[in-house]
Amino acid sequence: MTVRRGEIWRYQAIMRERTVLVVSCDPLNDDGRVLVIDILDIEPPGRRGMVSVSLGEFGYGYGHIIGVAPSERFVERLGVATTEQMADVKSVLLTVFELHD
């Protein structure tokens, strides 16, 4: 299965199904190990909201929950984040890892 950066997927984790946003680059995705952030139904409150991104109808990408997802567990492609949303995701990930100058 081909999974691309910026896509939103239903993902079958070990204990539950999750909605995730693919954040890793496509060459890494092609190797079958994909970096994702969880998508939540509601915006995280307080400081956690600093590391969330609105993904419109899909919910909120939460940059504090980052994981590696085997590509064979991706169930259904639900959509694609916009260029603006991915720019916001980039900013959140830079904040989470304190990579700002």
Side-chain angles (χ1 to χ4, degrees), residues 49-88:
M50 288 176 25
V51 292
S52 68
V53 173
S54 174
L55 297 171
E57 66 184 278
F58 300 105
Y60 294 85
Y62 188 36
H64 194 67
I65 303 175
I66 303 167
V68 177
S71 61
E72 63 269 9
R73 292 183 176 260
F74 285 77
V75 177
E76 177 185 9
R77 183 176 173 261
L78 301 173
V80 179
T82 66
T83 302
E84 293 82 14
Q85 290 167 335
M86 288 307 290
D88 290 343

Side-chain angles (χ1 to χ4, degrees), residues 13-74:
I14 293 171
M15 299 298 289
R16 65 183 176 94
E17 194 170 270
R18 300 165 31 198
T19 303
V20 297
L21 172 67
V22 177
V23 296
S24 49
C25 65
D26 292 338
L28 293 178
N29 298 337
D30 291 341
D31 287 339
R33 305 295 285 178
V34 181
L35 277 175
V36 298
I37 60 173
D38 275 14
I39 298 176
L40 307 177
D41 293 333
I42 59 170
E43 184 175 15
R47 290 185 184 175
R48 293 180 190 161
M50 288 176 25
V51 292
S52 68
V53 173
S54 174
L55 297 171
E57 66 184 278
F58 300 105
Y60 294 85
Y62 188 36
H64 194 67
I65 303 175
I66 303 167
V68 177
S71 61
E72 63 269 9
R73 292 183 176 260
F74 285 77

